[in-house]
Amino acid sequence: MEEKELKKHQVIPLMGFGTFGRNGKEGVDAILCALETGYRHLDTAQTYDTEFEVGEALRRSGLKRDEIFLTTKISTDNFGPGALVPSLEKSLEALKVDQVDLTLIHWPAPNGRIPLEVYITQIVEAQNRGLTKRIGVSNFTIALLEETEALLGRGKIANNQFELNPILQNKKLATYCQKKEILVTCYLPIARGVLSGEPVLRSIGEKHDATPEQVAIAFELAKGYCTIPTSGRPERIRSNFKASSITLSPEEIARIETIDRNQRVVDPDWGPKWD
Ligand SMILES: NC(=O)c1ccc[n+]([C@@H]2O[C@H](COP(=O)([O-])OP(=O)(O)OC[C@H]3O[C@@H](n4cnc5c(N)ncnc54)[C@H](OP(=O)(O)O)[C@@H]3O)[C@@H](O)[C@H]2O)c1
């Protein structure tokens, strides 16, 4: 997305850069490469230990704060009464910014051990204090989204981030989110590099002179989702970004919809019961 456009509409850039694994000096270099390539949305989290790297890359890029969209996520360790707001203040310090654009609850409390109301109330407080422009969730099921909406009121959850790619399309949850105008963000958008053997993605890719990963990213963008692939390699950082200029036909999108096989990777035993 053009920077001017980002400022004007203050929307969430749908092409983002994930920062899981982008730690240390190499991590800063990769994030800086992403910014130089044109990514204007960086996705970090308290548990990734990349908030410092994101802040450092942003500083080195010379970009202004309002030219970049920053997302962070609250660790489940920071859900206890009085813990969330100070933890987000620490995140802002590491990021070297006064406010993030979006803060997500990273996971529902493991095994429901802390009531939803306890941490949702605190994330609202963080927003009221101006620490984050928007609030949202990650790895939330339809039932949890409904409970959250009952606490917050309609239209307050800006985003739900969950695993979604052509072999795990999560259609029921994604459709629900879109109906509720909750932006869907796809994590593992290229299924951690296992899509190269997918014949449908390969054959569509041949028509567009694109890799299966680029076709996956183009598919997610065509569906109106936000996508946050990551890589530590400059050529992949650039080729993943280039996927945003691929336009798939309705027939190609329909073909990709047929390869969903509910193949989930991130599935901790303390996680929610997926839709
Ligand atoms: N909310 C959550 O619970 C949650 C969970 C997981 C992830 N996330 C977020 O989502 C982001 C993306 O997810 P992810 O990093 O797990 O998976 P991903 O982006 O689907 O895949 C990244 C992996 O694929 C490889 N890769 C990158 N580009 C490639 C390409 N063009 N061709 C082949 N392989 C390629 C990378 O290796 P190289 O580095 O060697 O290129 C890396 O190992 C994370 O960085 C994080 O920000 C959120």
Side-chain angles (χ1 to χ4, degrees):
M1 168 166 297
E2 291 291 320
E3 285 156 27
K4 257 189 273 161
E5 223 178 305
L6 171 58
K7 276 189 203 157
K8 200 169 75 190
H9 299 296
Q10 289 294 299
V11 293
I12 305 180
L14 298 186
M15 184 76 225
F17 186 70
T19 67
F20 177 74
R22 306 281 75 86
N23 306 88
K25 185 193 167 303
E26 282 177 10
V28 175
D29 289 346
I31 299 165
L32 186 57
C33 172
L35 292 173
E36 286 167 356
T37 301
Y39 293 83
R40 288 295 176 267
H41 176 175
L42 299 176
D43 179 82
T44 182
Q46 293 175 338
T47 54
Y48 301 169
D49 223 4
T50 56
E51 288 171 326
F52 174 83
E53 283 81 346
V54 166
E56 190 55 19
L58 185 53
R59 188 187 64 76
R60 277 173 47 187
S61 73
L63 287 164
K64 295 195 189 77
R65 173 65 191 90
D66 62 358
E67 290 172 328
I68 186 88
F69 191 96
L70 290 179
T71 300
T72 195
K73 312 185 198 79
I74 304 291
S75 161
T76 57
D77 290 342
N78 295 321
F79 286 180
L84 190 151
V85 168
S87 82
L88 185 54
E89 282 168 343
K90 230 173 119 194
S91 293
L92 298 182
E93 231 175 84
L95 286 159
K96 298 191 254 315
V97 297
D98 300 327
Q99 183 188 54
V100 281
D101 299 283
L102 175 66
T103 300
L104 306 178
I105 294 296
H106 201 153
W107 284 88
N111 303 312
R113 129 193 124 213
I114 297 182
L116 187 69
E117 193 174 353
V118 172
Y119 48 99
I120 292 297
T121 313
Q122 292 180 79
I123 200 172
V124 170
E125 186 190 337
Q127 185 180 31
N128 290 341
R129 288 195 190 192
L131 306 182
T132 183
K133 221 173 256 173
R134 302 166 184 78
I135 56 174
V137 294
S138 174
N139 298 300
F140 268 40
T141 57
I142 293 172
L144 283 161
L145 289 168
E146 281 178 347
E147 267 186 71
T148 309
E149 189 186 88
L151 289 169
L152 291 179
R154 192 162 182 168
K156 295 285 176 9
I157 310 167
N159 183 218
N160 187 18
Q161 181 179 127
F162 49 92
E163 188 173 342
L164 195 159
N165 56 55
I167 55 174
L168 172 67
Q169 295 190 20
N170 246 318
K171 285 177 193 155
K172 194 172 165 202
L173 179 58
T175 304
Y176 175 87
C177 288
Q178 291 195 313
K179 197 181 83 201
K180 291 280 186 177
E181 296 180 344
I182 298 170
L183 177 70
V184 170
T185 296
C186 311
Y187 77 61
L188 267 80
I190 49 171
R192 292 200 175 141
V194 304
L195 298 175
S196 55
E198 291 298 323
V200 167
L201 299 182
R202 290 187 78 89
S203 86
I204 294 172
E206 275 161 24
K207 291 216 185 81
H208 293 270
D209 194 18
T211 65
E213 288 75 20
Q214 287 177 315
V215 175
I217 294 167
F219 168 73
E220 291 148 14
L221 294 171
K223 299 289 286 181
Y225 307 150
C226 175
T227 179
I228 51 170
T230 191
S231 173
R233 307 189 202 186
E235 69 282 6
R236 285 179 171 177
I237 292 171
R238 290 193 274 268
S239 80
N240 291 343
F241 185 78
K242 264 177 71 183
S244 49
S245 51
I246 298 171
T247 305
L248 299 173
S249 68
E251 293 74 26
E252 288 169 331
I253 292 168
R255 277 182 74 199
I256 298 169
E257 280 173 338
T258 66
I259 68 170
D260 182 13
R261 53 175 180 267
N262 202 27
Q263 190 171 318
R264 191 182 298 277
V265 174
V266 181
D267 193 13
D269 53 13
W270 46 262
K273 194 173 172 302
W274 304 111
D275 292 296

